[in-house]
Amino acid sequence: MTGTLRQFRSFGRPIQVLQVNQAGINLGFYMLMPYLAHHLSAGAGLAAWAIGLVLGVRNMSQQGLFLIGGTLSDRLGPKPLIMAGCALRTLGFALFGLTTSLPLLIVAAVVTGFAGALFNPAARAYLAAEAGERKVEAFAVFNVFYQGGILLGPVVGVALLDVGFTAVCLAAAGIFAALTVLQAVHLPARRAHAEGAAPPVLRDWRQAFGDRAFVSFAAAMAASYALSYQMYLGLPLEVQRLGGGDAGVTALYVVSALLGIAGQVRVTSWCSARWSRGRAVTRGMALMGLSFLPVAAAAHLPLPPPWSLLPVAACVVLLTAGTLVAFPFEMATIADMAGDRLIGTYYGLYNLLSGVGILAGNLLAGATLDAARAWGWASLPWLLLAGAGLASAAALRRLDRRARLGEPRPAPAPA
């Protein structure tokens, strides 16, 4: 942690504020969201289909509107979008705790999701632009604060549940209200890139969608998000199947977050000294794919508890390590591919395509998990996930050879 704090202090105030802001965003989010489904069932008395509707609307409101948020950041500047997102999430989280009406819960879900679509690409665009040549280091520290929020959020949330779910929601809303004030007071305004006679929005979108190297990179990296999401789908189900219970599932998240907090800056420094950005992203992606092989290899072995959980633990460690290797270089590469004018738009489109990857990956993983149970092919899901990761790594390697990923380049000519 000493190296992380040293890196944190070495950045200017805007980057420090953005990193603290991200820790607060994740703290507030993970205080509430892990317990929302149970509240909607037991507290609000909603049917399963209605719970799925509320959660699905929240996710789609965020994933589907990332491109809008990124474009607005380029045109209005990132600070107003970050503040608006935090303010809207204040409203949405408070509403979750104050109503049990399905229509109002849907409104809360839409507002909460749209808030994420506003501040997520704007914060990353601001961080990338402010960091300049130190993008990789800035995103490494950013990920430490990100993981810190994930680690603390559920702990604070479960403690407040003794008071009641409304207390959890209002406390989370209070955090976002405080973040709104923090941005207003301490985050300097950054000039929008698309000032004056800005080209039409559709022209900017055609430029981003028409950037073949960028779209190819985003498509290849979509698999990384599908693999990472198995921390919430496939791996918890496997832990439950092996008898690890809720404590085992919680341990997955704790181990992953602690590795991110303790290791991100050191891993990034080690990789920066030895590899180009393209190689770091490629090898991180390959490590994420390889992480599922221990689970696949042990799927048919009659290991007794707790030994049966060791392959899952190995998977979590390797999966997290692959993410630590790739993430800072991945974020820096997106910014450099965007050029100076459309950083927010590129981040927004990237997040949109990543959401598609998560959806497709969840459908594939869920279907293969069902098939594995029905056919007795316990290793099938894990082999397919490993294959997807390695195939994406191969695609990234070819793209790096052709387009030299991570080297700054001017933005493509407008369409």
Side-chain angles (χ1 to χ4, degrees), residues 96-383:
F96 271 133
L98 298 174
T99 184
T100 57
S101 164
L102 180 58
L104 289 178
L105 288 169
I106 291 174
V107 171
V110 171
V111 170
T112 301
F114 184 48
L118 291 179
F119 61 62
N120 192 306
R124 284 159 173 74
Y126 195 139
L127 186 70
E130 190 70 25
E133 295 299 317
R134 298 185 66 196
K135 293 184 186 71
V136 171
E137 298 171 50
F139 277 110
V141 178
F142 180 86
N143 197 39
V144 173
F145 281 83
Y146 188 99
Q147 296 296 334
I150 292 177
L151 181 64
L152 291 177
V155 176
V156 176
V158 77
L160 287 173
L161 280 176
D162 290 337
V163 182
F165 187 75
T166 298
V168 177
C169 293
L170 294 181
I175 289 173
F176 279 97
L179 292 175
T180 305
V181 176
L182 175 70
Q183 316 307 311
V185 175
H186 294 290
L187 187 65
R190 188 174 182 88
R191 186 180 61 184
H193 292 297
E195 289 188 328
V201 170
L202 290 180
R203 183 180 298 176
D204 288 346
W205 289 359
R206 284 198 300 270
Q207 175 176 320
F209 278 100
D211 187 341
R212 293 183 179 179
F214 169 72
V215 172
S216 298
F217 177 70
M221 287 302 299
S224 73
Y225 291 88
L227 299 186
S228 295
Y229 206 85
Q230 298 315 304
M231 287 286 296
Y232 305 97
L233 178 62
L235 293 174
L237 291 175
E238 183 68 4
V239 168
Q240 295 284 5
R241 185 185 73 83
L242 295 171
D246 293 338
V249 174
T250 301
L252 296 185
Y253 305 135
V254 171
V255 168
S256 180
L258 288 177
L259 285 172
I261 294 169
Q264 179 67 82
V265 169
R266 292 181 181 180
V267 168
T268 301
S269 177
W270 190 91
C271 294
S272 295
R274 292 163 175 80
W275 302 334
S276 67
R277 289 185 188 176
R279 287 184 177 179
V281 174
T282 299
R283 291 172 181 179
M285 184 74 247
L287 186 56
M288 293 176 73
L290 292 171
S291 69
F292 292 95
L293 292 182
V295 186
H300 298 283
L301 297 178
L303 297 174
W307 302 108
S308 59
L309 294 172
L310 289 180
V312 180
C315 176
V316 170
V317 170
L318 293 174
L319 183 62
T320 302
T323 304
L324 299 184
V325 171
F327 177 80
F329 301 96
E330 169 195 359
M331 292 292 107
T333 296
I334 298 166
D336 286 336
M337 296 180 89
D340 291 332
R341 196 175 66 85
L342 295 179
I343 298 179
T345 299
Y346 271 58
Y347 275 122
L349 176 56
Y350 189 84
N351 286 329
L352 176 60
L353 296 176
S354 299
V356 173
I358 290 173
L359 176 59
N362 283 351
L363 291 174
L364 175 62
T368 54
L369 285 167
D370 289 338
R373 293 192 191 100
W375 301 337
W377 296 351
S379 61
L380 175 63
W382 317 112
L383 290 174

